[in-house]
Amino acid sequence: MTGPIPTTVIGGFLGAGKTTLVNHLLRHAGGRRITVLVNDFGELAIDQDLIEARDGDTLSLANGCACCSTGGDLALALNRMIEGENPPDHLLIEASGVADPDALADFARADPGLKLSGIVVLMDQGDITALLNDRRIGAQVARQIASADLLLLNKSDRDAPPGLPARLRSLAPRAAFLIVERAVLPTDLVLGDLAPRGRWRADPVLPRRHEDDFVRWAYTSDTPMPRNKLTAALTGLPTGLVRLKGFVALIDDDMVEVQAGWDWREIRPATSYGTDDRTRLVAIGLSPSFDGTSLDRLFSHDC
Amino acid sequence: MPDTVVFEAREILTLDRRRLSATHVAVRDGKILGVGSLDDVAGWGGYTLDRRFRDHILTPGFVEGHAHMMTGGIWRYTYVGHMDRTDPKGRLWKAALSTPELLARLSEAQGGLGADEPLIAWGLDPLFLPGDRLSRWELDTVSSTRPIAIFHSNGHLLTVNSATLAAVGFDASAEAKGVLKRSDGEPNGELQEFAAMMPVFRKLRIDIEGAADRPLTHRTYGEAARLTGVTTIADLGRSLADADVDELLRFTAADDCPIRLATMLMAHSRPTPELIADALRYRALSTDRLRLGGVKIIADGSIQGYTARMRWPGYYKGVDHGIWNIAPAQLDEQIDALNAVGIQIHVHTNGDEATDAALDAFEKALAKAPHRDHRHTLQHCQLADKAQFRRIKALGLCVNLFSNHLYYFGDKHYELTVGPDRAERMNAAATALANGVPLAIHSDTPVTPLGPLTTAWCAVNRLSESGRVLGAAERISAQEALHAITLGAAYTLKMDDKVGSIEIGKHADFAVLEESPLAVAPEALKDIVVAGTVSGGRPMLQSTL
């Protein structure tokens, strides 16, 4: 028996780019076996070149991922998957265009077989304002946005009306907020643990065309560092930072857990760092302002 | 010479205006050969005179146009609701009117269970139980070791005991919003919505749909119908697979099957192209006893759950949680696609804004592909106003109104959800008829109990549970109500050529009643005893289970 399956809910109104994001994540699964449950009555619009086999409502992908329509019965599909022989490394629930992502996330919160990683809500810059102003569906779209841990605004040909970021921010004050193009962004960013809610905040960053624009940085050190050095490093984080997290071993002090985003930093006593008492940090940011060398310099203190 | 049986009855209400009342009906090959006096029907040759109904009233077998197969599964569990109900075996379950009564009912049910079996019950509505709201701690007095789970009547809540919470691992650390908690953070045993209920379903192997034993579920459904005089019943919205259709064909082909079934495909069960292909493929498999090929779309939520889509001024008291189960733009597309190929569509609309959206969609679709006999139907359509009924008429739509709501939820609608004005126009059967809109009325069983005579009583009297009259102007006559539960409902199912009245050539499907619905006082309609049915000429007076 393995642990609960990490679960990410992907929501957003019709045409927001949910399927584009799902395809992107499947294409860049990075060795993860992802299962997508599509809780919608649309067709399974998975890129043809990814599909290896089709069996009824289930598509098998060459990289070990799978995509399955729930036929309107998410509970049944979840039951099958949780009780199945070969649970995936990660579960994506693609909500229907009218679904409340938070209600779907509750399945992951409630079920011992699942663990909620977060709620990603997409919007299309071209129509989100009209949708929010729509008498009939505006409230439902606003509820979707409010449920987000990570809010992705897909750029379109049409310019965003002024004030849109502020309006979205007020609807989802706790969410991280990124502007993207064709839903291109790192898989580990989307599937990573988006909690704790209200901690990961970033201002909108410029759209990127390629996943290559995102830079990953990882750092391990056996040498504990002084606390003031850590504080200084966090203060000097580069502007392209999207997210940083990990554990830092301090001199003459307990291990601490560190989290940071665009405009926030957090240090707190580490509770679950296991038996590894080294400093371990990972971060994602956008080139060129974010680069690994400058981060190495900030955190290394041997010399 | 084929066998002919002539049934004699105290009175036969035919619903055929040429001869509204008769005493004899001749049946051959399961169909009606003639109606009238014995002299009128004797001319077809040799016959057997069957006088078993000489003290009874025969009406056309009732047609329930909005019902769910779950009714056939749910009675395997213990009923604990606040109103008396009769199960498909004819057993009367008395109301549980207080928490001690409910706990006693559970203790009694526990006696019949094996050591490891969970105790599952249904029908709870805490608002009708005086005192503190039922919680895990009261249920723990029934058993601290056996898992107990009780469905609320609205289907959206479960109250469970501590053993069940432990079995699924819900404690103070549970994060799901549907796991409701006491002020000290301990789960109080109430689990809200499907997400929080699902782990319990899986752990306790709860099968509310009766999916594990479909043949039994189907037979039980048939029996629930037979007991209430129903000979044709909808199965309104299933995510059918081919195997399910095979099972339905097997069930309805059985010699002792007491019903004709109209099963519709749930629109959200598959992508629209597949939906169309399957609906057409299944339609071709239809038989005399199984009508397939219709599609059901669910537009909004429920009024009592505050999830129906309401126009201005919205809900009377309480917070608007109105939802679209399908976006209005998608509704347009789906109705257009289905209508274009001539598939019959039934749309669930509760709130008046959802009704507007459906009307807009039908108006556009029918302008492009004007099928003259489409029989598209608005299901529930509870809050439609006069202008909407005029549009419904203009578009040639039918309505199947949820008249049972007037009694079962009427007080809540008056006091809380929609307020006095709109409570009085809810399920406006008289307005529908005044506008010439084809009318059916329904129970939506198991949401409210199956029983067309009770549904007729609701539409005729419009009394709430507390005795309040909700809109006397929308009352219809017993004759009109009888039409709505027979020919009217058959029309919405496109089965009015075969059932719904007692006329030559139609199936010999009758309800066998102790009294005439047209002779008793209006307030006594629901008290008429149903002795059984005749289905395809076969008297069905005994349990078929």
Side-chain angles (χ1 to χ4, degrees), chain B residues 84-101:
Chain B
D84 293 352
R85 264 178 115 146
T86 304
D87 73 17
K89 288 181 174 157
R91 173 184 165 189
L92 175 69
W93 294 73
K94 294 296 285 180
L97 294 170
S98 67
T99 299
E101 269 181 52

mmCIF file of all heavy atoms in Angstrom, chain B residues 84-101:
data_model
loop_
_atom_site.group_PDB
_atom_site.id
_atom_site.type_symbol
_atom_site.label_atom_id
_atom_site.label_comp_id
_atom_site.label_asym_id
_atom_site.label_seq_id
_atom_site.Cartn_x
_atom_site.Cartn_y
_atom_site.Cartn_z
ATOM 1 N N ASP B 84 -45.166 8.624 6.825
ATOM 2 C CA ASP B 84 -45.394 7.206 6.535
ATOM 3 C C ASP B 84 -45.059 6.927 5.076
ATOM 4 O O ASP B 84 -45.371 7.725 4.198
ATOM 5 C CB ASP B 84 -46.876 6.837 6.764
ATOM 6 C CG ASP B 84 -47.266 6.918 8.237
ATOM 7 O OD1 ASP B 84 -46.367 7.105 9.076
ATOM 8 O OD2 ASP B 84 -48.474 6.798 8.526
ATOM 9 N N ARG B 85 -44.441 5.816 4.802
ATOM 10 C CA ARG B 85 -44.197 5.424 3.415
ATOM 11 C C ARG B 85 -44.390 3.924 3.285
ATOM 12 O O ARG B 85 -44.154 3.180 4.225
ATOM 13 C CB ARG B 85 -42.769 5.798 2.987
ATOM 14 C CG ARG B 85 -42.713 7.139 2.256
ATOM 15 C CD ARG B 85 -41.300 7.517 1.892
ATOM 16 N NE ARG B 85 -41.115 7.542 0.440
ATOM 17 C CZ ARG B 85 -40.302 8.393 -0.186
ATOM 18 N NH1 ARG B 85 -39.581 9.268 0.475
ATOM 19 N NH2 ARG B 85 -40.164 8.372 -1.492
ATOM 20 N N THR B 86 -44.800 3.510 2.081
ATOM 21 C CA THR B 86 -45.009 2.085 1.814
ATOM 22 C C THR B 86 -43.921 1.605 0.874
ATOM 23 O O THR B 86 -43.637 2.258 -0.136
ATOM 24 C CB THR B 86 -46.388 1.872 1.168
ATOM 25 O OG1 THR B 86 -47.373 2.425 2.036
ATOM 26 C CG2 THR B 86 -46.668 0.401 0.957
ATOM 27 N N ASP B 87 -43.303 0.489 1.219
ATOM 28 C CA ASP B 87 -42.214 0.015 0.369
ATOM 29 C C ASP B 87 -42.760 -0.838 -0.775
ATOM 30 O O ASP B 87 -43.963 -1.134 -0.834
ATOM 31 C CB ASP B 87 -41.142 -0.706 1.204
ATOM 32 C CG ASP B 87 -41.576 -2.076 1.696
ATOM 33 O OD1 ASP B 87 -42.560 -2.639 1.169
ATOM 34 O OD2 ASP B 87 -40.913 -2.601 2.597
ATOM 35 N N PRO B 88 -41.902 -1.225 -1.727
ATOM 36 C CA PRO B 88 -42.390 -1.965 -2.898
ATOM 37 C C PRO B 88 -42.929 -3.358 -2.576
ATOM 38 O O PRO B 88 -43.509 -4.002 -3.441
ATOM 39 C CB PRO B 88 -41.152 -2.065 -3.805
ATOM 40 C CG PRO B 88 -40.283 -0.937 -3.384
ATOM 41 C CD PRO B 88 -40.502 -0.807 -1.910
ATOM 42 N N LYS B 89 -42.723 -3.806 -1.339
ATOM 43 C CA LYS B 89 -43.346 -5.073 -0.955
ATOM 44 C C LYS B 89 -44.685 -4.832 -0.277
ATOM 45 O O LYS B 89 -45.312 -5.762 0.227
ATOM 46 C CB LYS B 89 -42.418 -5.850 -0.023
ATOM 47 C CG LYS B 89 -41.213 -6.418 -0.762
ATOM 48 C CD LYS B 89 -40.312 -7.208 0.158
ATOM 49 C CE LYS B 89 -39.228 -7.868 -0.676
ATOM 50 N NZ LYS B 89 -38.032 -8.190 0.113
ATOM 51 N N GLY B 90 -45.086 -3.565 -0.234
ATOM 52 C CA GLY B 90 -46.372 -3.246 0.357
ATOM 53 C C GLY B 90 -46.318 -3.044 1.853
ATOM 54 O O GLY B 90 -47.337 -2.830 2.495
ATOM 55 N N ARG B 91 -45.110 -3.094 2.433
ATOM 56 C CA ARG B 91 -45.004 -2.905 3.873
ATOM 57 C C ARG B 91 -45.060 -1.424 4.209
ATOM 58 O O ARG B 91 -44.356 -0.610 3.618
ATOM 59 C CB ARG B 91 -43.676 -3.499 4.373
ATOM 60 C CG ARG B 91 -43.421 -3.185 5.828
ATOM 61 C CD ARG B 91 -42.068 -3.694 6.312
ATOM 62 N NE ARG B 91 -41.752 -3.064 7.593
ATOM 63 C CZ ARG B 91 -40.588 -3.161 8.196
ATOM 64 N NH1 ARG B 91 -39.617 -3.873 7.643
ATOM 65 N NH2 ARG B 91 -40.372 -2.555 9.346
ATOM 66 N N LEU B 92 -45.880 -1.084 5.181
ATOM 67 C CA LEU B 92 -45.980 0.301 5.622
ATOM 68 C C LEU B 92 -44.862 0.596 6.624
ATOM 69 O O LEU B 92 -44.712 -0.120 7.612
ATOM 70 C CB LEU B 92 -47.344 0.559 6.263
ATOM 71 C CG LEU B 92 -47.518 1.957 6.868
ATOM 72 C CD1 LEU B 92 -47.574 3.017 5.780
ATOM 73 C CD2 LEU B 92 -48.779 2.007 7.736
ATOM 74 N N TRP B 93 -44.074 1.619 6.340
ATOM 75 C CA TRP B 93 -43.058 2.081 7.290
ATOM 76 C C TRP B 93 -43.625 3.318 7.961
ATOM 77 O O TRP B 93 -43.839 4.337 7.315
ATOM 78 C CB TRP B 93 -41.754 2.421 6.577
ATOM 79 C CG TRP B 93 -41.073 1.249 5.957
ATOM 80 C CD1 TRP B 93 -41.441 0.574 4.840
ATOM 81 C CD2 TRP B 93 -39.889 0.609 6.444
ATOM 82 N NE1 TRP B 93 -40.557 -0.452 4.593
ATOM 83 C CE2 TRP B 93 -39.594 -0.453 5.552
ATOM 84 C CE3 TRP B 93 -39.025 0.822 7.533
ATOM 85 C CZ2 TRP B 93 -38.490 -1.294 5.720
ATOM 86 C CZ3 TRP B 93 -37.934 -0.003 7.702
ATOM 87 C CH2 TRP B 93 -37.672 -1.059 6.811
ATOM 88 N N LYS B 94 -43.867 3.225 9.272
ATOM 89 C CA LYS B 94 -44.430 4.363 9.981
ATOM 90 C C LYS B 94 -43.380 5.468 10.085
ATOM 91 O O LYS B 94 -42.179 5.213 10.111
ATOM 92 C CB LYS B 94 -44.873 3.942 11.393
ATOM 93 C CG LYS B 94 -46.027 2.951 11.409
ATOM 94 C CD LYS B 94 -47.313 3.536 10.828
ATOM 95 C CE LYS B 94 -47.966 4.510 11.826
ATOM 96 N NZ LYS B 94 -49.221 5.048 11.210
ATOM 97 N N ALA B 95 -43.865 6.684 10.193
ATOM 98 C CA ALA B 95 -42.973 7.830 10.337
ATOM 99 C C ALA B 95 -42.194 7.731 11.642
ATOM 100 O O ALA B 95 -42.697 7.225 12.642
ATOM 101 C CB ALA B 95 -43.802 9.110 10.325
ATOM 102 N N ALA B 96 -40.961 8.208 11.635
ATOM 103 C CA ALA B 96 -40.194 8.379 12.872
ATOM 104 C C ALA B 96 -40.271 9.858 13.220
ATOM 105 O O ALA B 96 -39.668 10.690 12.566
ATOM 106 C CB ALA B 96 -38.755 7.942 12.671
ATOM 107 N N LEU B 97 -41.062 10.171 14.253
ATOM 108 C CA LEU B 97 -41.398 11.572 14.514
ATOM 109 C C LEU B 97 -40.538 12.222 15.585
ATOM 110 O O LEU B 97 -40.697 13.403 15.880
ATOM 111 C CB LEU B 97 -42.875 11.677 14.904
ATOM 112 C CG LEU B 97 -43.849 11.316 13.759
ATOM 113 C CD1 LEU B 97 -45.274 11.210 14.263
ATOM 114 C CD2 LEU B 97 -43.755 12.330 12.626
ATOM 115 N N SER B 98 -39.643 11.446 16.185
ATOM 116 C CA SER B 98 -38.759 12.019 17.200
ATOM 117 C C SER B 98 -37.446 11.259 17.157
ATOM 118 O O SER B 98 -37.360 10.169 16.582
ATOM 119 C CB SER B 98 -39.375 11.881 18.596
ATOM 120 O OG SER B 98 -39.427 10.499 18.944
ATOM 121 N N THR B 99 -36.423 11.854 17.769
ATOM 122 C CA THR B 99 -35.127 11.178 17.783
ATOM 123 C C THR B 99 -35.204 9.822 18.499
ATOM 124 O O THR B 99 -34.672 8.832 17.983
ATOM 125 C CB THR B 99 -34.067 12.102 18.422
ATOM 126 O OG1 THR B 99 -33.988 13.279 17.618
ATOM 127 C CG2 THR B 99 -32.704 11.439 18.457
ATOM 128 N N PRO B 100 -35.859 9.732 19.679
ATOM 129 C CA PRO B 100 -35.969 8.405 20.300
ATOM 130 C C PRO B 100 -36.664 7.380 19.388
ATOM 131 O O PRO B 100 -36.230 6.223 19.318
ATOM 132 C CB PRO B 100 -36.813 8.675 21.554
ATOM 133 C CG PRO B 100 -36.579 10.110 21.876
ATOM 134 C CD PRO B 100 -36.383 10.795 20.548
ATOM 135 N N GLU B 101 -37.705 7.804 18.665
ATOM 136 C CA GLU B 101 -38.370 6.872 17.748
ATOM 137 C C GLU B 101 -37.414 6.405 16.655
ATOM 138 O O GLU B 101 -37.389 5.238 16.278
ATOM 139 C CB GLU B 101 -39.568 7.553 17.078
ATOM 140 C CG GLU B 101 -40.878 7.386 17.828
ATOM 141 C CD GLU B 101 -42.021 8.078 17.082
ATOM 142 O OE1 GLU B 101 -42.216 7.832 15.867
ATOM 143 O OE2 GLU B 101 -42.697 8.880 17.736
#
